[in-house]
Amino acid sequence: MDDEQLIANARGGDARSLARTLSAIEDRTVAGRRAFADLFRASGTAWTIGVTGAPGSGKSTLVSALLPELVEHGDVAVVAVDPSSPFTGGAILGDRIRMTDSSRDDRVYIRSLANRGALGGISDTTPSIVAALDGLGFPEIVVETVGVGQSEIEVATTTDTTIVVVSPGWGDAIQTSKAGFLEIGDIFVVNKADRDGFEAAVRDLETMMALGPEMPWMPPVVATVATTGSGVDDLMAAIASHRAHLEATDARRVRRRRAAARQLAAAIRLEADEASDPGSLDDLVTAIAERSVDPWTAAVSLLAAK
Ligand SMILES: Nc1nc2c(ncn2[C@@H]2O[C@H](COP(=O)(O)OP(=O)(O)OP(=O)(O)O)[C@@H](O)[C@H]2O)c(=O)[nH]1
Ligand SMILES: [Mg+2]
C-alpha cells in the first residue's frame, strides 16, 4: 500500500491505517514526514481540549464521561500522554472505548503516547500527533496529560481549551504546583465532588483566582463526579463558553501563533539533533562546558554542517 492510500484509508476511518500513519509521524520516517506535511496543511479546524491535573484526580474517568457528549458533534480522538492508569474500569479496548451506546464505539479513537525520551519529548510529539488527527478530520480532540511539569505546560499552550482537574485535598498534596496549575487552566474542575472537602477545594481555587489579575476570561470552577456523570453538563457548557470567548476575540489567533512559534522552535531542535551525529553533538557539548566555544557559535556550526 502506498502512502497516499494509507492516509486515504486513515481518513476513511480505518483504525489500523490511522495507527500506522500516526506511528510513522511519531517516528519521523520518510513516509511519516510526507503524511505530516499533508495532514498539517489540512489541519486547523479541530477544537482541541487539554485535560491535565494531579495523578488519580479522575482525568480519564472525566474524559470517558465527556465522550458521549462530545460524539454528538462528530468523531472524537483522545490522545493519552503517558497514561498511568487505564480508562474507566478497563473500558478501553485496544484503541476503542466502550460507550454505553455501543453503536458509537467506532466514533472514538484513542491513541496513547509514551514519553519515549528518544527524540524530543511529549511536548514535541503531542502537538504533531494532535495536528495529524486534526488534519484527518476529527472535529474534537482531547489530550490527557498528567501533572504540571514543563512539558505539560507546553502541551497546554497548544490546546484550545485547557481543563485542570483537581480533587478534594489537592491543595495540601501539591502546594508547590499551584502556580503552574493556575497559569494554564481555562477551566478548573473539582472532581470527586462526592468526597469530603470538595467545597473547601472549590473555595480554595476561587480565592486564588480572585487574588490573581483581572483577565478577559476568568476561568470558571466546575464541580463534577466523573463516576456518575454529575456536573458533566456544566463542564460541557463551560467548554462551549470558553470556545465562544476565544472565537469572539483575538485570543485564539494569538494562542495559535504562540503554539506555532513553539512548534517551529521544537522542529528546529529536532532537525539539528537528527542532522548531527551524536558524537559531534557530544563534542560540542563538551566544548561548551569547557568554555572553548560559545553556544551560539556552536549552534551556527551545527546548522551549517547540515
Ligand atoms: N469517588 C469518586 N471517585 C472517582 C471519581 N472520578 C474518578 N474516580 C476514581 O478515581 C480513580 C482514578 O481515576 P482516573 O480517572 O484513572 O484518574 P486519572 O486522573 O486519569 O489518573 P492518572 O491517569 O493515573 O493520573 C479511579 O478509581 C476512579 O474510579 C469521582 O468523581 N468520585
Ligand atoms: Mg488517566
Side-chain angles (χ1 to χ4, degrees), residues 67-72 74-76 96-109:
L67 288 173
E69 309 290 327
L70 293 173
V71 292
E72 295 292 328
D75 291 4
V76 183
R96 296 263 174 259
I97 219 170
R98 195 198 297 277
M99 312 273 288
T100 13
D101 172 0
S102 62
S103 67
R104 294 203 185 118
D105 277 4
D106 61 353
R107 305 201 55 188
V108 177
Y109 177 77

Side-chain angles (χ1 to χ4, degrees), residues 11-37:
R11 274 215 173 88
D14 175 50
R16 188 187 288 262
S17 304
L18 193 52
R20 276 180 55 193
T21 304
L22 296 182
S23 297
I25 293 172
E26 250 186 281
D27 296 340
R28 292 162 58 80
T29 62
V30 173
R33 283 164 187 264
R34 264 203 302 266
F36 185 62

Side-chain angles (χ1 to χ4, degrees), residues 54-61 84-86 144 146 191-192 194-195 224-227:
S57 53
K59 299 175 296 294
S60 300
T61 314
S84 51
S85 62
E144 179 188 337
V146 183
N191 186 43
K192 306 197 185 181
D194 54 332
R195 295 231 175 128
T224 60
V225 181
T227 39

Side-chain angles (χ1 to χ4, degrees), residues 252-264:
R252 189 184 194 195
R253 196 187 57 83
V254 171
R255 226 173 146 113
R256 290 198 165 188
R257 270 198 73 84
R258 192 176 54 188
R262 279 192 198 265
Q263 282 173 289
L264 177 61

Side-chain angles (χ1 to χ4, degrees), residues 9 34 52 82 89 109 195 202 206 212 237 273:
N9 291 352
R34 264 203 302 266
T52 192
D82 257 345
Y109 177 77
R195 295 231 175 128
V202 171
E206 286 176 342
D273 274 0

